[in-house]
Amino acid sequence: MELRRKQHRSSPWHRHRTHLTVLCDACNPLGDPVNTNKRFDAAKIFGHPDVIAEAPWFGLEQEYTLLQKDTKWPLGWPQGGFPRPQGPYYCGVGAEKAFGRDIVDAHYKACLYAGINICGVNAEVMPGQWEFQVGPSIGIAAADELWVARYILERVAELAGVIVSFDPKPIPVSFLVIGMEQELTLIIGITTKSMREEGGYEAIQKAIEKLRLRHEEHIAGYGEGNERRLTGHHETADISTFSWGVAKRGVSIRVGRDTAKDGKGYFEDRRPGSNMDPYVVTSMIAETTILWKP
């Protein structure tokens, strides 16, 4: 990110910067990574010559919920009650539909200022639920940028006195009765050099088959509480079953219609929960699809 700043020294924003946001590896006094430092092992995978040659791109869609601090109830919800059924909230506008936009917009601007490769935000299907997108970014940079973007989001929400929840199912009740989805994901768009070139669809299909063979292993690293989300309902795949399809949402892996038409492009892994560790998941995908020889 510092390299990006150096390229924009002529911008008026640069002249007013008085600090830097620094992301560091956490190590013990012996220099070994602490248990929570998942970046260390991810860097080994992304530093492998075969992975570097494939230049994997990741696009990360991070969903989250804004909660009222005192009640832990989503913004815009009646105290102790439930909102109207979904429909008007997704990408909605208006004070009766969008709740917390001041936080969302401030976060977006702060990420741009910090040099994060953030590319969009939108309101989601549940009141108080939002999403931002990072990428496409190459290799470990995607996880770095998402990690810092999460930090900035929590700092902005802190100023507003609001809690950020990355739980994949933040309210422990079923919304089948009132017709509302609350399965929070972190969808990952993936493409490699081989997938972006002519004939890339074959490389995509090979990668998907590898992911199928390691489905249980990936699920284990795709976030805590994910079994509460991947039920096979509300446009999710069942956690125990691997599936894929073109232009389908209720599958483990989705291939875009344009990718299938063009015979090259990218695909999405729709299994990760919104609280997943981006270093674990992106490096696992790179290792499985590029390095693993079944």
Side-chain angles (χ1 to χ4, degrees):
M1 285 182 282
E2 177 59 16
L3 290 176
R4 190 177 296 117
R5 290 196 181 100
K6 289 179 180 178
Q7 295 171 359
H8 295 282
R9 288 192 179 277
S10 60
S11 75
W13 279 20
H14 177 83
R15 293 194 294 272
H16 296 289
R17 287 183 175 136
T18 58
H19 66 278
L20 298 175
T21 299
V22 180
L23 176 66
C24 301
D25 278 293
C27 301
N28 63 25
L30 298 178
D32 299 319
V34 299
N35 292 336
T36 55
N37 180 0
K38 306 303 181 183
R39 190 184 192 280
F40 183 82
D41 289 333
K44 294 180 181 178
I45 293 174
F46 285 114
H48 191 286
D50 292 347
V51 176
I52 293 175
E54 280 292 341
W57 294 1
F58 295 96
L60 310 179
E61 299 181 7
Q62 173 72 70
E63 294 186 359
Y64 61 94
T65 307
L66 298 176
L67 305 177
Q68 301 169 57
K69 184 174 67 174
D70 296 331
T71 63
K72 308 298 190 295
W73 209 236
L75 291 187
W77 288 38
Q79 291 299 328
F82 301 97
R84 292 178 298 163
Q86 71 182 53
Y89 310 112
Y90 181 69
C91 295
V93 296
E96 78 283 10
K97 303 170 190 170
F99 307 95
R101 192 183 297 277
D102 51 346
I103 295 172
V104 173
D105 286 349
H107 169 248
Y108 187 75
K109 293 174 183 178
C111 284
L112 290 175
Y113 182 83
I116 301 296
N117 190 21
I118 190 169
C119 57
V121 296
N122 63 270
E124 269 295 336
V125 299
M126 183 179 79
Q129 179 186 351
W130 293 83
E131 173 189 309
F132 67 88
Q133 300 95 34
V134 168
S137 299
I138 300 176
I140 202 169
D144 286 341
E145 294 186 339
L146 183 68
W147 203 260
V148 176
R150 282 177 172 178
Y151 170 80
I152 293 173
L153 176 60
E154 298 239 36
R155 285 290 302 270
V156 172
E158 176 187 327
L159 293 174
V162 171
I163 296 172
V164 178
S165 172
F166 295 112
D167 192 285
K169 199 173 181 74
I171 307 301
V173 294
S174 172
F175 286 112
L176 292 176
V177 176
I178 63 172
M180 181 168 293
E181 171 192 346
Q182 59 141 348
E183 279 68 30
L184 274 65
T185 66
L186 201 154
I187 297 174
I188 301 183
I190 308 129
T191 182
T192 64
K193 183 174 181 290
S194 296
M195 298 174 193
R196 296 188 292 271
E197 295 177 342
E198 292 300 322
Y201 198 61
E202 182 179 353
I204 290 173
Q205 290 177 310
K206 289 180 178 179
I208 292 174
E209 175 59 15
K210 288 183 176 183
L211 291 170
R212 182 188 70 81
L213 295 174
R214 279 187 164 180
H215 176 64
E216 293 183 1
E217 181 180 340
H218 277 252
I219 286 295
Y222 275 20
E224 296 182 7
N226 215 9
E227 71 283 352
R228 293 183 280 115
R229 180 183 72 89
L230 293 176
T231 61
H233 302 293
H234 296 131
E235 299 180 340
T236 67
D238 180 81
I239 194 170
S240 302
T241 306
F242 182 89
S243 59
W244 76 278
V246 175
K248 295 182 179 179
R249 299 177 65 86
V251 292
S252 307
I253 303 293
R254 178 170 70 171
V255 175
R257 204 178 298 278
D258 287 344
T259 295
K261 178 182 177 181
D262 297 340
K264 61 182 178 179
Y266 74 99
F267 66 92
E268 295 176 353
D269 193 335
R270 302 177 63 82
R271 297 172 294 173
S274 49
N275 59 2
M276 67 81 161
D277 187 316
Y279 295 111
V280 171
V281 175
T282 58
S283 63
M284 185 180 294
I285 291 172
E287 198 277 330
T288 294
T289 60
I290 300 173
L291 299 180
W292 185 48
K293 309 298 181 185

